[in-house]
Amino acid sequence: MRDMSFHITTFGCQMNAGDSEWLARAMQARGFSEAPFGQASVYILNTCSVRDKPEQKVYSEIGRIRSLTGNDPNVLVCVGGCVAQQVGNALFSRFSQVRLVFGADGIAQAPDAIVRLTRERFRRLSLVDFSAEYPEREGPLYAGTRVPASAFVAIMQGCDNFCSYCIVPYVRGRQKSRRAEAVLEECRAVLDAGAREITLLGQNVNSYGHDSGGMGFTDLLYKVAALPGLARLRFITPHPKDLAPELIRAFGELSVLAPRLHLPLQSGSDRILERMGRRYTRAQYLDLVAKLRAARPEMHFSTDIIVGFPGETEEDFQETMETMRQANFVGSFSFVYSQRPGTRAALLQDELPRKEKLERLSRLQEWQYAHAGEMLRALEGETVEVLLEELSPKPEAGLVIWQGKEPRGHTVNVTLTGPEPARGWKGSLVPAQITAAAMHSLRAEQVGEAR
Ligand code: SAH
Ligand code: SF4
Ligand code: F3S
């Protein structure tokens, strides 16, 4: 075991991924270094409780740490994120190595708490209170190599929508928009440190400002888009009910706004959408897709689907399938409905048998898989600009191959033929012609100078 070393395990959504990146930087700023699983003195589990036995997953991970480290009392296990918010101090009594529990808002104080706990070996700390305002965190801390070519910047915390199946508003708290100036400051810092792409993060990004009465999402987007050095801008996740006409217009006007939208549909049946409390209809959803396509014809869409919501009939499911074909999704995250404690949907009586849910899910995924393949093959021959992120994990003798993303967000492995630009390949934008489509990625060859 290395002293002053940490390992972070991340479950769940992009918000958690963004939080973990920040945590890693904050730990490094305090003199800790990253270590492989099993070799660190501090373990941080950033947890998710959105579906399926989330607590069990966390317990088994803590169990794994306990057995690998022989339950060493010098090893500190910190549990953060949505399960920690939900289960809280009960974690202490189950596992002696767990001495810090922190929730969505408590994370801002977690790095200092960790430093304290490494010095005061028998103390325990709990940071699970929600704050009234967005929990602003210390410095951007982007010194050194940790800034990826594509960076996440959070613009809000929590959610006010209370979709009937969802635990997020309970574990992340009410929506709290971050001050626009703080968002812009962090964006400037990541760009100064070498990032070329920014993804704005939130559980419901396009309701940004609704809680604070301040600047709205589209205005914020225009401000970020104008920052010097930014090559590409994305955001996740928007809600269809809040997708304003000016946001659709922004896709036509802002060339840095990437032509890819992840827009959760959840179901294509109006009856189920109503029971989910989503506050849009299938027709309204498809109308948004059509308008966005008109604003940006090359746009690709992806989505989230819940299969087997209580009371979903085969007919409802067929409506979901039909809507997916009409929306022409290039990808979807699809899940069987999982009952979450305390949510409104948990009170519904007509839950489907698991077998039926899984059977529908596999039909849906089979379609999506085949369809994504077709859509990727249709891109063969196109020239795209690829933002390089890392060396390709599949090297080929005699070739320099880097992996990155094209504007619609598809992974591309590019064979580089030109001279390496002064900034290095990482974070460079390379024009490349797509030569082949694989299962989940594209192959391409450089056809012009990197910028
Ligand atoms: N704020 C985003 C994402 C929320 S959680 C949104 O509104 O879309 C990410 C996804 O998990 C959801 O889009 C939904 O598809 C899925 N999900 C949430 N609760 C679920 C549940 N109880 N069972 C199954 N899937 C669920
Ligand atoms: Fe959950 Fe709905 Fe909020 Fe998304 S919008 S986080 S699904 S309550
Ligand atoms: Fe999971 Fe919490 Fe995100 S429940 S999906 S980690 S907001």
Side-chain angles (χ1 to χ4, degrees), residues 23 42-45 76-80 84 88-89 91-92 97-102 106 109-115 117 123-127:
L23 268 174
V42 176
Y43 289 85
I44 305 173
L45 308 184
L76 170 62
V77 178
C78 313
V79 186
N89 299 352
L91 283 158
F92 293 140
Q97 288 179 315
V98 174
R99 292 191 293 116
L100 175 64
V101 171
F102 61 92
Q109 281 88 48
D112 285 338
I114 292 171
V115 170
L117 290 169
R123 190 186 275 280
R124 290 166 169 174
L125 287 174
S126 170
L127 304 167

Side-chain angles (χ1 to χ4, degrees), residues 27-83:
M27 292 297 286
Q28 283 166 335
R30 285 165 178 73
F32 287 79
S33 59
E34 224 163 341
F37 194 87
Q39 291 173 33
S41 58
V42 176
Y43 289 85
I44 305 173
L45 308 184
N46 202 359
T47 63
C48 170
S49 54
V50 84
R51 63 190 149 252
D52 295 340
K53 314 189 175 76
E55 286 122 71
Q56 278 67 23
K57 277 187 209 160
V58 175
Y59 298 156
S60 83
E61 190 75 0
I62 305 174
R64 220 153 66 88
I65 296 168
R66 182 170 55 187
S67 63
L68 270 173
T69 60
N71 208 20
D72 183 344
N74 291 310
V75 167
L76 170 62
V77 178
C78 313
V79 186
C82 297
V83 174

Side-chain angles (χ1 to χ4, degrees), residues 11-16 47-50 82 167-168 171-172 203:
F11 302 92
C13 63
Q14 307 275 354
M15 303 288 291
N16 268 14
T47 63
C48 170
S49 54
V50 84
C82 297
I167 202 162
V168 169
V171 288
R172 287 261 164 183
Q203 284 299 351

Side-chain angles (χ1 to χ4, degrees), residues 159 161-163 165-166 168-169 203 239 278:
C159 181
N161 287 330
F162 290 93
C163 299
Y165 50 83
C166 185
V168 169
Q203 284 299 351
H239 193 300
R278 291 290 291 176

